[in-house]
Amino acid sequence: MNTKMLVAGLMGGVGFFLLGWILYGMLLMDTMASYSNAACMRAEEDMNMPLLVVGNLIQGFFVAYIFSNWASISTFATGLQRGAFIGFLISLAMNCIWYATSTVMTDFTGAIIDIIVVTVMWGIVGGIVGWWLGRK
């Protein structure tokens, strides 16, 4: 893992965390709550923030690793497109599985909203990571 990829992973992780906080924690909090099973959700004061940070960093390093080592993505536009596509596929798969096997979402509309939000997040983070990796 080179320094450029390490920084890209950190930037991606911070991007995921901030976008999640803005989109899920502020803008869509009430909307997502209306489609979620409250019995499956932690209260805000019970959330494990260190683990949430670790999870976001892992996602950031995942994007940086794929873009740097497998896909040679080095522009914002390509990172945006490929990141959105990867995020769409991951969130579509996971939301279908979660909806089929659990009661986390009470209506598939919530899953659709989540798929859209995750696609946007992965696109933005993919763009940032691609931009950073392409810097000279």
Side-chain angles (χ1 to χ4, degrees):
M1 182 180 304
N2 61 38
T3 304
K4 189 175 259 192
M5 191 176 83
L6 180 64
V7 172
L10 288 170
M11 291 173 70
V14 169
F16 276 123
F17 184 84
L18 292 175
L19 286 167
W21 173 53
I22 291 166
L23 296 173
Y24 288 111
M26 294 170 63
L27 297 177
L28 296 172
M29 183 174 16
D30 294 336
T31 301
M32 293 307 289
S34 70
Y35 294 110
S36 300
N37 182 349
C40 296
M41 307 304 291
R42 289 187 187 273
E44 191 170 338
E45 60 273 4
D46 293 333
M47 287 188 188
N48 186 328
M49 291 305 285
L51 200 53
L52 184 60
V53 169
V54 168
N56 282 284
L57 287 172
I58 290 169
Q59 283 189 118
F61 285 113
F62 181 64
V63 173
Y65 184 83
I66 290 171
F67 285 13
S68 178
N69 292 308
W70 294 347
S72 300
I73 293 172
S74 58
T75 67
F76 182 87
T78 305
L80 178 78
Q81 293 168 349
R82 304 291 159 70
F85 185 69
I86 293 167
F88 172 75
L89 292 178
I90 289 171
S91 62
L92 178 62
M94 293 309 302
N95 274 282
C96 286
I97 291 167
W98 288 331
Y99 193 75
T101 63
S102 75
T103 60
V104 172
M105 289 288 176
T106 58
D107 186 293
F108 201 72
T109 304
I112 292 169
I113 294 168
D114 186 61
I115 292 164
I116 293 166
V117 172
V118 170
T119 300
V120 168
M121 288 174 61
W122 274 73
I124 293 169
V125 169
I128 293 167
V129 168
W131 165 78
W132 181 261
L133 292 173
R135 291 181 67 236
K136 301 289 181 211

